[in-house]
């Protein structure tokens, strides 16, 4: 995932699989020139249990009638992912490939005409990640491409043929870090209208101590031709628990 405070904004809202219930399996092994690989597959549906509500803002419990891709009564959705690392020919490089299929669910807030034109969603994600260290300076690089043939920008706005192209990097020197990322998101609405969204971020952090990190970040977002600027501060504390073993 893209580094920095805001680097994952498009991915988190766009194609990360969250708030799903189902079951899956994982197989690990060595594939020679492809390095150590982990293959994961899962069947799932959107979480409509009481846990789908929010403790803070009380957004309400999700329901199948809310619609959306993956929001089905049965486990009609699936994904498969392959993660590879320790490539013999490319030290420090890892990769990720995933495919997802989600049923379109019920109409929800969509216009009936748009809902009739939608089909089930198919999506692909491919990413390359690199990590190197020179003279106690650590560098991390990311390049990721995602594509979906059907998509919901908002709960009531359906589009097709949407792409996410992300480039990012992070540098760590002693207790300081600097992260940059950029995501380009072109898409076409069902009516043929084309948009190009952009997300550019920069953030800097300082490790106050081993379990406490302070970060300051800036985000420039162009979303359907509307520009926004955001500045934020993030304080992260890592807490470890022991099971006594």
């Amino acid at each position: 995932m893209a580094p920095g405070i805001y680097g994952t904004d498009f991915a988190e809202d766009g194609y990360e699989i969250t708030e799903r219930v189902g079951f899956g399996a994982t197989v690990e092994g060595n594939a020679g020139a492809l390095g150590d690989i982990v293959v994961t597959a899962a069947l799932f549906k959107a979480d409509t249990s009481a846990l789908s509500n929010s403790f803070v803002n009380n957004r309400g419990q999700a329901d199948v009638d809310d619609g959306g891709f993956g929001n089905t009564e049965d486990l009609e959705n699936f994904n498969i992912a392959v993660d590879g690392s320790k490539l013999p020919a490319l030290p420090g490089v890892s990769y990720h490939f995933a495919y997802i299929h989600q049923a379109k669910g019920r109409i929800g807030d969509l216009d009936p005409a748009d809902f009739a034109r939608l089909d089930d969603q198919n999506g692909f994600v491919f990413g390359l990640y690199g990590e190197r260290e020179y003279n106690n300076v650590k560098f991390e690089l990311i390049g990721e491409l995602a594509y979906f043939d059907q998509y919901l920008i908002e709960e009531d706005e359906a589009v097709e043929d949407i792409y996410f192209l992300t480039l990012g990097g992070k540098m760590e020197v002693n207790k300081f870090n600097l992260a940059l990322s950029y995501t380009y998101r072109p898409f076409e609405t069902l009516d043929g209208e084309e948009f190009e969204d952009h997300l550019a971020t920069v953030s800097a952090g300082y490790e106050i101590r081993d379990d406490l990190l302070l970060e300051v970040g800036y985000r420039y977002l162009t979303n359907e031709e509307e520009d926004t600027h955001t500045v934020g501060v993030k304080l992260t504390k890592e807490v470890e628990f022991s099971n006594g073993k």
Side-chain angles (χ1 to χ4, degrees), residues 181-199:
S181 70
Y182 169 73
T183 301
Y184 173 57
R185 184 175 74 173
F187 63 91
E188 182 178 342
T189 68
L190 296 180
D191 296 326
E193 191 174 4
E194 297 182 352
F195 289 95
E196 294 183 352
D197 291 349
H198 305 269
L199 172 66

Side-chain angles (χ1 to χ4, degrees), residues 38-196:
V38 179
V39 180
T40 305
L43 288 171
F44 60 87
K45 65 175 184 176
D47 181 14
T48 54
S49 71
L51 295 177
S52 65
N53 201 343
S54 173
F55 176 74
V56 177
N57 57 17
N58 191 27
R59 64 185 179 184
Q61 182 174 335
D63 189 271
V64 176
D65 288 332
D66 293 336
F69 293 112
N71 191 2
T72 54
E73 294 185 20
D74 302 315
L75 302 178
E76 302 177 35
N77 319 284
F78 66 90
N79 78 297
I80 182 169
V82 178
D83 292 274
S85 61
K86 299 182 180 178
L87 280 71
L90 297 171
V93 174
S94 58
Y95 60 89
H96 172 77
F97 174 78
Y99 166 73
I100 187 171
H101 174 87
Q102 297 191 100
K104 69 177 183 178
R106 298 181 181 176
I107 188 170
D109 295 327
L110 286 172
D111 181 272
D114 289 345
F115 181 76
R117 295 169 62 183
L118 279 182
D119 203 345
D120 293 349
Q121 180 191 75
N122 295 285
F124 301 86
V125 178
F126 177 72
L128 283 175
Y129 316 96
E131 183 176 305
R132 287 293 179 90
E133 186 170 338
Y134 300 97
N135 298 324
N136 295 322
V137 181
K138 183 178 179 181
F139 296 91
E140 298 178 10
L141 298 174
I142 174 179
E144 191 171 81
L145 174 65
Y147 165 76
F148 296 88
D149 59 356
Q150 313 280 321
Y151 191 82
L152 295 179
I153 292 289
E154 302 289 347
E155 293 181 355
D156 59 351
E157 184 178 1
V159 303
E160 58 184 356
D161 293 332
I162 187 169
Y163 294 84
F164 298 78
L165 175 60
T166 299
L167 298 173
K170 184 178 181 180
M171 180 179 68
E172 296 181 4
V173 183
N174 296 323
K175 293 182 177 294
F176 295 91
N177 70 74
L178 176 67
L180 302 169
S181 70
Y182 169 73
T183 301
Y184 173 57
R185 184 175 74 173
F187 63 91
E188 182 178 342
T189 68
L190 296 180
D191 296 326
E193 191 174 4
E194 297 182 352
F195 289 95
E196 294 183 352

